């Protein structure tokens, strides 16, 4: 657990992800947004600490435009979000 906290403290921007080698990071943004909410949902269901999920949140917040995040958050609240969480 200490390693995760150390990584989060040292976090500056999204690291290279071999799944998304090109300049366009749209899919990387989307995947990390979904992974964050899936991680939270999974760990909350188990009653576990959700601190490890913060990594995904920091990555998508550094990659995604704020307007996209707001739109997706609104869609999740309305039940119209197109992704599988």
């Amino acid at each position: 657990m200490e390693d995760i906290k150390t990584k989060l403290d040292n976090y500056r921007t999204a690291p290279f992800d071999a799944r998304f080698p090109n300049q366009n990071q749209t899919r990387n943004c989307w995947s990390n947004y979904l992974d964050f909410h899936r991680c939270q949902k999974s760990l909350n269901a188990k009653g576990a600490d959700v601190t490890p999920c913060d990594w995904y949140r920091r990555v998508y917040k550094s990659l995604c435009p704020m307007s996209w995040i707001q739109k997706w958050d609104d869609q999740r609240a309305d039940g119209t979000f197109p992704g599988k969480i």
Side-chain angles (χ1 to χ4, degrees):
M1 187 68 155
E2 201 60 26
D3 286 339
I4 292 172
K5 289 183 181 182
T6 304
K7 284 182 180 180
L8 287 173
D9 290 342
N10 294 332
Y11 179 84
R12 296 289 177 258
T13 188
F16 176 75
D17 189 336
R19 298 175 299 164
F20 310 102
N22 300 321
Q23 290 178 344
N24 187 341
Q25 294 295 304
T26 303
R27 192 174 297 254
N28 192 355
C29 157
W30 174 254
S31 294
N32 279 285
Y33 183 84
L34 290 177
D35 289 345
F36 170 71
H37 290 288
R38 288 175 184 153
C39 178
Q40 265 197 327
K41 181 179 177 181
S42 174
L43 293 180
N44 280 333
K46 296 176 185 176
D49 181 25
V50 295
T51 302
C53 302
D54 285 345
W55 174 258
Y56 298 114
R57 183 180 58 79
R58 287 180 177 217
V59 172
Y60 85 71
K61 288 217 177 230
S62 74
L63 292 174
C64 302
M66 293 305 293
S67 60
W68 293 4
I69 296 170
Q70 185 60 49
K71 178 182 175 184
W72 295 336
D73 288 343
D74 292 344
Q75 288 176 334
R76 283 187 321 104
D78 295 341
T80 59
F81 184 69
K84 289 187 177 183
I85 294 177

